[in-house]
Amino acid sequence: MNLFRSRVSSSIVSTMAEELGSSASTATSSSRAKTRSFWPSLLRWIPTSTDHVIAAEKRLLSLVKTPYVVEQVNIGSGPPGSKTRWFRSKSDEPRFINTVTFQSKEDSPTLVMVHGYGASQGFFFRNFDALASRFKIIAIDQLGWGGSSRPDFTCKSTEETEAWFIDSFEEWRKAKNLSNFILLGHSFGGYVAAKYALKHPEHVQQLILVGSAGFSSESDSKSEWLTRFRATWKGAVLNHLWESNFTPQKVIRGLGPLGPDMVRRYTTARFGAYSTGEVLAGEECKLLTDYVYHTLAAKASGELCLKYIFSFGAFARKPLLQSAPEWKVPTTFIYGFQDWMNFEGAQQARQLMKVPCEIIRVPKAGHFVFIDNPTGFHSAVFYACRMYISPNLETERLPEGLTLA
């Protein structure tokens, strides 16, 4: 059982950390880190570090009852055969993907979970116990987010940016020696999962796209409102900020020691007063707030993908809808009834797909359907994967409360 207790190698963490806040006594620490270590974290302008992210993750996952292992999976310094490191990074040091694997029954199908933009794997904390009863759950932080390495982000195009995430995920898959797994992605993570499955369909049994981004483009007729908004001075300013890659995380960092309170206001509102489903309990909200702050305030890296993947208004520059005829993996879409991501994009894609596809809607849930209505979300995932977890119940009825679109 000790094998499944959370552990992170201190030597690996020190290798991947860009900012170490408490390592003055470590011989291998940089002089910069040593200087910073003299200042208590509360006195720093941005009171966080990679160590803080890992510690906040451990505290949040203390709410999970299923034993788990945390590991930093080495993906090297860049894609094999590439003349570039993780896209022109000045450092040739290896990079790591923060990976959490939960104990499961023998022969359980593998479900890999990929978080969305501005998030990290800990956002699924309400789901790990239930899903681990049927699957071998592996949750990751994408390169440049959460507790994973945060290389300098130097991509200059949509193609390079997609490759940053797709290729790093593929190197992670190779390092873990995985194949024939179910791949679940939320929001931007759904976009990455879909793009990965288009490039490497031989490894993916099934796709589950939860509130997936990237199906609509700015050319859609429904984006006319955006054109009108851009013509206003407010729209012009916001569009300029977007194209300048001004991210929400920069606001949190700019607030310095006031950043944690801003995040607390957001989480208590979004998952409390304005929740569309189950409100987070006091301890849940406290630990999630702490975790969210440290993942947002840490060094900018993967977040800088925003303007290359989406234009202002979150319209994909390379919409997945255009690739729907090339789909080779059976796919299930899951949306909350109150999700701001429009499920009609998935309906349009289904008409073009040549593989099985279904769309499930979960009541009392918004974009974070797995937090808002975890029970409904679990039922949707189990139903989507019924042929893998209950082969004799492939025609099982849709659970009560869920609807097919």
Side-chain angles (χ1 to χ4, degrees), residues 108-156:
S108 296
T110 298
L111 175 64
V112 177
M113 305 180 72
V114 182
H115 63 82
Y117 183 86
S120 35
Q121 55 80 18
F123 272 64
F124 296 113
F125 75 97
R126 274 190 157 186
N127 315 116
F128 291 138
D129 282 331
L131 295 181
S133 68
R134 304 282 188 92
F135 302 98
K136 176 182 179 181
I137 299 295
I138 305 178
I140 68 165
D141 289 335
Q142 297 191 70
L143 182 66
W145 269 316
S148 291
S149 296
R150 294 178 179 240
D152 294 337
F153 190 87
T154 53
C155 299
K156 300 299 180 183

Side-chain angles (χ1 to χ4, degrees), residues 116-308:
Y117 183 86
S120 35
Q121 55 80 18
F123 272 64
F124 296 113
F125 75 97
R126 274 190 157 186
N127 315 116
F128 291 138
D129 282 331
L131 295 181
S133 68
R134 304 282 188 92
F135 302 98
K136 176 182 179 181
I137 299 295
I138 305 178
I140 68 165
D141 289 335
Q142 297 191 70
L143 182 66
W145 269 316
S148 291
S149 296
R150 294 178 179 240
D152 294 337
F153 190 87
T154 53
C155 299
K156 300 299 180 183
S157 67
T158 300
E159 291 78 13
E160 281 189 355
T161 303
E162 288 184 351
W164 163 287
F165 295 105
I166 296 170
D167 291 351
S168 60
F169 184 86
E170 171 61 4
E171 291 310 302
W172 171 85
R173 182 203 65 79
K174 291 178 182 176
K176 291 292 291 179
N177 193 28
L178 288 176
S179 191
N180 296 322
F181 54 89
I182 301 164
L183 182 57
L184 182 151
H186 172 244
S187 195
F188 172 69
Y191 179 90
V192 172
K195 290 285 185 175
Y196 176 83
L198 283 164
K199 186 174 181 179
H200 301 284
E202 67 278 10
H203 301 305
V204 183
Q205 285 181 306
Q206 179 164 341
L207 268 177
I208 301 178
L209 305 182
V210 183
S212 182
F215 277 88
S216 57
S217 69
E218 199 174 325
S219 62
D220 292 349
S221 59
K222 292 185 179 180
S223 67
E224 293 177 358
W225 67 269
L226 184 61
T227 302
R228 293 193 298 271
F229 179 65
R230 275 182 178 156
T232 67
W233 71 268
K234 291 181 181 179
V237 170
L238 290 175
N239 185 66
H240 174 73
L241 290 174
W242 185 284
E243 294 300 330
S244 301
N245 227 352
F246 188 85
T247 66
Q249 289 90 330
K250 290 182 179 179
V251 175
I252 300 301
R253 296 187 193 100
L255 289 172
L258 300 179
D261 185 62
M262 174 64 75
V263 174
R264 180 189 61 78
R265 291 171 181 268
Y266 165 74
T267 53
T268 53
R270 170 58 184 84
F271 302 111
Y274 297 100
S275 175
T276 54
E278 294 183 20
V279 175
L280 288 180
E283 187 67 8
E284 287 180 313
C285 193
K286 176 184 175 182
L287 294 177
L288 180 62
T289 296
D290 179 53
Y291 179 68
V292 171
Y293 171 72
H294 290 298
T295 58
L296 293 180
K299 176 190 172 183
S301 182
E303 74 190 63
L304 299 175
C305 72
L306 195 59
K307 80 166 189 175
Y308 297 108

Side-chain angles (χ1 to χ4, degrees), residues 10 13-14 17 19-23 48-57:
S10 58
V13 171
S14 63
E19 300 181 53
L20 291 176
S22 57
S23 54
T48 192
S49 68
T50 303
D51 284 348
H52 281 81
V53 175
I54 297 297
E57 172 191 281

